[in-house]
Amino acid sequence: MAEQMTIHLRIWRQAGPDAPGRLVDYTVAGANEHMSFLELLDVLNEQLVHRGEEPVAFDSDCREGICGSCGVLVGGIAHGPQRRTAVCQLHMRSFKDGDRIVVEPFRARAFPLVKDLVVDRSAFDRIISAGGFISTTTGGAPDANALPVSKDAADEAMDYATCIGCGACVAACPNASASLFTAAKISHLALLPQGSVEASRRVVAMVRQMSEEGFGDCSNHTECEAVCPKGISIACIARMRREYVKAVLC
């Protein structure tokens, strides 16, 4: 039988982007170690609705660590204390009965706050639109082995392609840099023959869009890698820089 827990939460509440915000204290009794952190917030919201109070707004979708929409700061850490785990997969067994946990939205100029714990991450969509794709003629799907790709390149490309665009890298970076996200999207295409045709145009367009969105630059703190729920390496940032230099100088 799961042990019952009482958790004390201090949650950022803000009615809208132009409204004042503040941290509000709540206590959730009856939690258990098998709950995910988002399920804990669900329980809190049920209690708030029952009391006629405004529930806490937070983002979620798949709740399987795939979509990346659930990102918040838990105890000052993007996605919480468990490494390589999105908030929706963070379980209460990572905490103790009576713990006090501060929950805040990701904070970055390029991620404007919408309400409470919800931020607008559409800047990532615009970076992708700037070049995170390949152009090809339409028709039937080619055979899987039509374009030979080495196993090492395929494995590395897949590692970078696992980025879920959650924004934890931005939230953790003292410069609010989106370099890990942008570099992962650039690198997984740069490693594959399908992406080589547009490689130069892609890296210039995506880096330019990243800058225009107001993200800071990378200064190698490596906080992004530490909080990434998919464990993406900052090696992709070095690759992005090499691709950029090659594109503008060659």
Side-chain angles (χ1 to χ4, degrees), residues 35-54:
M35 282 182 174
S36 73
F37 198 81
L38 292 190
E39 288 172 329
L40 180 75
L41 295 181
D42 287 337
V43 171
L44 170 63
N45 279 344
E46 289 175 1
Q47 295 174 357
L48 292 177
V49 169
H50 183 72
R51 297 201 299 259
E53 300 178 28
E54 182 76 15

Side-chain angles (χ1 to χ4, degrees), residues 56-232:
V56 177
F58 63 93
D59 255 336
S60 70
D61 188 6
C62 72
R63 300 205 177 203
E64 295 179 352
I66 298 171
C67 73
S69 64
C70 63
V72 294
L73 294 172
V74 180
I77 304 171
H79 287 300
Q82 188 169 330
R83 289 176 63 85
R84 299 196 177 188
T85 305
V87 171
C88 61
Q89 294 290 288
L90 175 67
H91 285 82
M92 296 311 297
R93 66 180 69 98
S94 298
F95 304 94
K96 302 186 299 294
D97 181 36
D99 272 356
R100 298 182 181 275
I101 308 168
V102 178
V103 189
E104 300 174 88
F106 286 171
R107 299 189 184 278
R109 184 175 66 176
F111 286 169
L113 187 136
V114 177
K115 183 178 181 180
D116 293 340
L117 304 177
V118 180
V119 298
D120 179 359
R121 285 188 290 261
S122 59
F124 275 6
D125 297 331
R126 291 187 288 273
I127 293 173
I128 292 292
S129 296
F133 54 86
I134 63 168
S135 300
T136 186
T137 53
T138 59
D143 292 338
N145 60 352
L147 291 173
V149 182
S150 72
K151 186 177 188 308
D152 288 344
D155 287 348
E156 189 176 3
M158 184 57 69
D159 287 343
Y160 295 140
T162 58
C163 171
I164 57 176
C166 65
C169 51
V170 175
C173 178
N175 305 329
S177 172
S179 290
L180 191 72
F181 165 80
T182 307
K185 299 304 180 184
I186 289 170
S187 294
H188 92 260
L189 291 174
L191 284 158
L192 299 175
Q194 295 90 338
S196 62
V197 177
E198 299 173 291
S200 295
R201 187 200 65 79
R202 175 184 304 110
V203 67
V204 171
M206 293 181 73
V207 169
R208 181 188 299 121
Q209 188 66 39
M210 176 177 65
S211 178
E212 289 176 357
E213 293 294 341
F215 293 106
D217 199 9
C218 172
S219 51
N220 295 322
H221 283 79
T222 72
E223 294 291 336
C224 54
E225 181 181 299
V227 299
C228 176
K230 298 302 176 181
I232 293 174

Side-chain angles (χ1 to χ4, degrees), residues 9-14 20-26 73 101-105 107 116-117:
L9 299 172
R10 171 165 278 197
I11 299 178
W12 184 261
R13 302 302 309 266
Q14 187 169 342
R22 64 191 179 96
L23 289 165
V24 179
D25 292 320
Y26 300 101
L73 294 172
I101 308 168
V102 178
V103 189
E104 300 174 88
R107 299 189 184 278
D116 293 340
L117 304 177

